[in-house]
Amino acid sequence: MANRLEDEAVEFLSLFYEERCLDGKEARIRDVCEAIRTDGTYEHTAEELAFGARLAWRNSNRCIGRLFWERLTVIDEREARTEEAVAQALFRHIEYATNGGKIIPTITVFKQGASIRIWNAQLVRYAGYRGDGRIIGDPASLELTDICKQLGWVGAGGDFDVLPLVISVGARPPQLFPIPEHLIKEVALVHPDNEAFARLNLKWYAVPFISNMRLEIGGISYYAAPFNGWYMGTEIGARNLADDFRYNRLPEVAAVLGISMEREASLWRDQALVELNRAVLYSYQEQGVSIVDHHTAAKQFQRFIGNETEAGRGVTGDWTWLIPPMSPAQTDIFHQSFDNRIVSPNYFQEKPPYC
Ligand code: HEM
Ligand SMILES: N=C(Nc1cccc(CNC[C@@H]2CCCN2)c1)c1cccs1
């Protein structure tokens, strides 16, 4: 009687052998089913792991950047067993993927199961502090910043203090690993036409490294599998710096650009939003850091749909996340609908190890 893990393993291995036109499928499936019966699990080969991680990206319904799904660099760190070894692997990932600004989409996969956990939501993220009546830094980081302080971390108390890595193995308490400063690339935000913008002293980190999602391949879960791509400008300019529950900087942007905030009907928010997003795209491009605007990203997503259709595969998507938070109706995505069925392999949101 085949169990659920066997079914998922057979389904993935069949896909792996068929899509890669490899032979030897029957023998591999027999070995895997034997391992599942004997040990309750099985190990992916390096090739199966790489293919699974790329497939998981291709199946990520909320991702607009999937055109490049085959170009993912997969680093196999399944031998790492200590907090120190995990931290060193993460430093290598940050340096390799940043690549001086010419960002390389990369994932590092640690051993299967939930014993190794990265407590950070993103490898590079700014701290958030509750001051007297106001919040300094990133409100999204308040909880993790408190945990870091409880573990002995002392932050500078500014708006852009990079948090240390927080790594746990098994039931041991988490350990802190400050990221060497030379590994962290940041972009100072300037405006293409108005030099007064620089007075806002805004900046953001170059590379988003998501470290809190669970990678599932053929029934096996990897709870520590951080991955990076490059940013779409609106993530920084229309959400991280604009949301009133994040950095909430639109009023200051309007003020420094001389945009009156007197009446909502003047659309001052929309005007300030466009200028902030122009500054983000201009600054990243000027400083040689990969980034994509939401119009180009939407066109690339349409090419992804074309490629998948040509390959005889359906595309699944989550419309509510695929449309950009700025001028969504100016993209073709807005005027289409998508099947939001969840297909595996995939990346899944995972609750944090704390709480
Ligand atoms: C290469 C450039 C890439 C771009 C421009 C891009 C763009 C985006 C954007 C804008 C989002 C929505 C994020 C949000 O609103 O918070 C997203 C979601 C997502 N992306 Fe991509 N992406 C890229 C590469 C990747 C890679 C390499 C992976 C994994 C291997 C990936 C997996 C995902 C997943 C799983 C989500 C959904 C996250 C969630 O459910 O919380 N993306 N992507
Ligand atoms: N450009 C990126 N953006 C991205 C992708 C996945 C997840 C996230 C973080 N999303 C969480 C935030 C916070 C709540 C809603 N958005 C960002 C990438 C990050 C890693 C690879 S691509």
Side-chain angles (χ1 to χ4, degrees), residues 163-286:
L163 285 164
L165 296 179
V166 185
I167 299 162
S168 65
V169 173
R172 292 200 291 263
Q175 291 182 28
L176 298 186
F177 297 88
I179 304 173
E181 281 183 21
H182 72 276
L183 295 182
I184 298 170
K185 189 164 188 66
E186 293 178 290
V187 178
L189 298 186
V190 293
H191 189 277
D193 314 321
N194 189 320
E195 59 191 29
F197 187 92
R199 287 207 292 266
L200 296 172
N201 291 318
L202 293 176
K203 64 176 175 176
W204 202 256
Y205 48 91
V207 188
F209 299 92
I210 301 303
S211 46
N212 63 353
M213 296 193 81
R214 175 175 61 86
L215 166 59
E216 181 186 285
I217 302 170
I220 299 285
S221 283
Y222 297 90
Y223 282 77
F227 59 84
N228 76 277
W230 49 79
Y231 265 120
M232 182 164 81
T234 51
E235 298 180 79
I236 303 163
R239 299 302 311 274
N240 299 343
L241 294 176
D243 286 346
D244 59 10
F245 54 88
R246 295 292 298 283
Y247 279 75
N248 189 25
R249 286 301 199 278
L250 284 192
E252 282 182 55
V253 169
V256 88
L257 296 180
I259 300 167
S260 160
M261 295 177 265
E262 200 68 27
R263 297 178 307 110
E264 288 297 347
S266 71
L267 298 193
W268 68 267
R269 286 178 192 284
D270 311 71
Q271 210 178 340
L273 200 62
V274 167
E275 294 314 319
L276 175 54
N277 279 271
R278 289 181 67 227
V280 167
L281 291 168
Y282 175 75
S283 305
Y284 275 66
Q285 283 153 5
E286 276 297 290

Side-chain angles (χ1 to χ4, degrees), residues 57 60 62-64 213 227-230 235 292 321 347 349:
W57 181 9
S60 296
R62 293 172 164 177
C63 182
I64 194 172
M213 296 193 81
F227 59 84
N228 76 277
W230 49 79
E235 298 180 79
V292 66
W321 276 58
Y347 297 96
Q349 284 191 352

